[in-house]
Amino acid sequence: MLDRLPFLIGLRYVRAKRRNHFISFISLTSMLGLMLGVAVLILVLSVMNGFDHELRTRILGMVPHTKIEAQGGMTDWKTLAERLEKRDHVIGAAPYVQQQGMFSSEGRTQGAMVNGIKPSYESKVSIIDEHMTQGSLDDLAPGEWHVVLGDLLARNLGVGVGDRVTLLVPEASITPGGVFPRLKRFTVSGIFKIGADLDANLAYANIEDMQKLGRLGDSVGGLRLELDDLFQAGPVTNAIVDDLGSGYRGIDWTYTHGNLFQAIQMEKRMIGLLLMVIVAVAAFNIVSTLVMVVTDKHADIAILRTIGAKPGTIMRIFMVQGMAIGTIGTVVGVALGVVLALSVSDLIAWFEALTGIQFLDPNVYFISYLPSQLQWGDVGIIAGSAFVLTFLSTLYPAWRAARIQPAEVLRYE
């Protein structure tokens, strides 16, 4: 019976209606603060995980994991592609010709990067096939001068499938009439949408057409490689360049988008740390709650001591009460946070549709919607940290309760 006494009395103190309503209010505030802190921390970390996931899948699915280039162009690229695909971590290779230019249509202009590709190879290194909203990459037949535009790029130009656009490249052509920029008319054969800023500044054309436009002959700009592990891009690229010898260079995704990825990781850590402080403040509010309860229950503690309760028993009573408050707040906060993390994308999309306000402008941000990815490991760490902070917050008030001397209290009763 004495072993059950701390749990019976501690839980009774949680359920009982106290005469001091202020103590009840502080106890409820501590519970709500812990609940909201845990829920918000789970929600925010899930959103940060969503951004991280979108960076890896969507943006890095379109951007090459690594590129291998040769001085003066690469002619025997087929042999090299077959050779590289046999290396560890390399799961695909595709040739490319890249050209920066400006599209124009009926007075509208928009700069873009045009990738010359072989449609049959592109699926090995890119996810663009999964995000074609109109047309197909197979329409990029050599000699047809077709182009596939990003959704935002097409909208900025006011064109659709079947319309004609003019590509101006920053290279001069010398003619009897003088020096003129190089121009070429393309027909829009497809539109893709990945929900990132690449929709506004990326286009695809057939590699043979881009070779003719750039007067490259049979050479290509290089090979794009797809890896099975993004974080092996640096070592794999360095090993390939070392094996190929002089005249080759490698550029992996960390040079082009590494800063963004590192920024997201840093923001996730810092935001998690700051929000954990909120959880800590809510947990340590339990200290003030228990201190006031101990003061209010001096007589009860003294009576328990006189009938044989040991200081350790008194200490456990108030630890049980504090842990009950913290457990309720943490469990409800975890449930609320999980529900919000799983539904926040749909809620924000509904709110944007209702109000017409777009929170993430794709012209500014890499993606146009709020992603969320719940990771149960994060939930476990957050819940465990809340329990630990709650336990620590109960130690001092419980220790003070255990030190109360019954003779000093009952003298004035």
Side-chain angles (χ1 to χ4, degrees), residues 44 90 135 182 249 297 389:
V44 172
V90 178
R182 196 172 302 168
R249 68 167 184 161
K297 300 296 183 182
L389 291 172

Side-chain angles (χ1 to χ4, degrees), residues 103-237:
F103 285 101
S104 66
S105 176
E106 298 182 356
R108 298 184 181 184
T109 59
Q110 176 75 38
M113 179 67 72
V114 184
N115 281 342
I117 62 170
K118 274 191 170 294
S120 58
Y121 281 77
E122 191 64 16
S123 59
K124 296 181 179 180
V125 298
S126 174
I127 60 172
I128 185 175
D129 277 337
E130 304 169 14
H131 298 278
M132 293 293 298
T133 59
Q134 298 181 54
S136 169
L137 287 184
D138 294 333
D139 296 331
L140 299 178
E144 297 293 332
W145 298 97
H146 286 173
V147 65
V148 171
L149 303 179
D151 176 69
L152 288 175
L153 178 58
R155 281 195 282 169
N156 291 338
L157 293 172
V159 298
V161 173
D163 293 333
R164 303 271 287 176
V165 294
T166 301
L167 175 62
L168 182 150
V169 297
E171 295 181 6
S173 297
I174 301 176
T175 68
V179 178
F180 294 94
R182 196 172 302 168
L183 304 172
K184 186 61 185 178
R185 296 279 285 176
F186 284 83
T187 301
V188 178
S189 63
I191 294 176
F192 68 87
K193 182 178 181 180
I194 61 170
D197 70 331
L198 297 176
D199 291 342
N201 53 38
L202 187 61
Y204 289 90
N206 187 275
I207 193 169
E208 295 183 21
D209 293 342
M210 295 306 296
Q211 286 173 326
K212 293 177 182 177
L213 184 62
R215 298 175 182 175
L216 300 176
D218 294 331
S219 66
V220 299
L223 289 175
R224 300 170 60 193
L225 304 182
E226 177 84 1
L227 307 181
D228 58 4
D229 185 355
L230 288 173
F231 299 100
Q232 294 296 321
V236 169
T237 303

Side-chain angles (χ1 to χ4, degrees), residues 88-364:
D88 293 338
H89 300 294
V90 178
I91 59 178
Y96 72 91
V97 171
Q98 212 166 52
Q99 178 67 65
Q100 185 75 39
M102 180 175 292
F103 285 101
S104 66
S105 176
E106 298 182 356
R108 298 184 181 184
T109 59
Q110 176 75 38
M113 179 67 72
V114 184
N115 281 342
I117 62 170
K118 274 191 170 294
S120 58
Y121 281 77
E122 191 64 16
S123 59
K124 296 181 179 180
V125 298
S126 174
I127 60 172
I128 185 175
D129 277 337
E130 304 169 14
H131 298 278
M132 293 293 298
T133 59
Q134 298 181 54
S136 169
L137 287 184
D138 294 333
D139 296 331
L140 299 178
E144 297 293 332
W145 298 97
H146 286 173
V147 65
V148 171
L149 303 179
D151 176 69
L152 288 175
L153 178 58
R155 281 195 282 169
N156 291 338
L157 293 172
V159 298
V161 173
D163 293 333
R164 303 271 287 176
V165 294
T166 301
L167 175 62
L168 182 150
V169 297
E171 295 181 6
S173 297
I174 301 176
T175 68
V179 178
F180 294 94
R182 196 172 302 168
L183 304 172
K184 186 61 185 178
R185 296 279 285 176
F186 284 83
T187 301
V188 178
S189 63
I191 294 176
F192 68 87
K193 182 178 181 180
I194 61 170
D197 70 331
L198 297 176
D199 291 342
N201 53 38
L202 187 61
Y204 289 90
N206 187 275
I207 193 169
E208 295 183 21
D209 293 342
M210 295 306 296
Q211 286 173 326
K212 293 177 182 177
L213 184 62
R215 298 175 182 175
L216 300 176
D218 294 331
S219 66
V220 299
L223 289 175
R224 300 170 60 193
L225 304 182
E226 177 84 1
L227 307 181
D228 58 4
D229 185 355
L230 288 173
F231 299 100
Q232 294 296 321
V236 169
T237 303
N238 293 335
I240 290 174
V241 173
D242 290 342
D243 289 346
L244 294 178
S246 61
Y248 290 89
R249 68 167 184 161
I251 304 173
D252 62 76
W253 68 271
T254 59
Y255 286 93
T256 56
H257 293 80
N259 290 338
L260 176 64
F261 180 80
Q262 293 173 1
I264 291 177
Q265 293 295 313
M266 180 62 71
E267 288 176 2
K268 179 182 176 182
R269 296 189 189 100
M270 295 306 299
I271 291 176
L273 180 61
L274 291 175
L275 292 178
M276 186 57 72
V277 172
I278 297 177
V279 175
V281 170
F284 283 108
N285 278 340
I286 297 175
V287 175
S288 59
T289 301
L290 293 182
V291 167
M292 286 187 286
V293 172
V294 169
T295 303
D296 188 55
K297 300 296 183 182
H298 270 194
D300 296 353
I301 295 170
I303 293 171
L304 288 172
R305 290 294 306 278
T306 57
I307 62 176
K310 297 180 180 180
T313 301
I314 302 299
M315 189 172 181
R316 288 196 293 274
I317 288 173
F318 291 95
M319 290 179 67
V320 167
Q321 183 185 1
M323 287 301 297
I325 295 172
T327 299
I328 294 172
T330 300
V331 171
V332 176
V334 167
L336 179 61
V338 168
V339 170
L340 289 175
L342 294 175
S343 59
V344 65
S345 298
D346 295 332
L347 289 175
I348 294 298
W350 171 81
F351 185 78
E352 289 180 340
L354 181 67
T355 62
I357 300 173
Q358 188 170 24
F359 288 94
L360 298 176
D361 186 349
N363 290 318
V364 178

Side-chain angles (χ1 to χ4, degrees), residues 395-410:
L395 294 179
Y396 174 70
W399 175 76
R400 281 194 57 180
R403 292 188 62 198
I404 292 176
Q405 298 298 322
E408 294 294 327
V409 175
L410 296 177

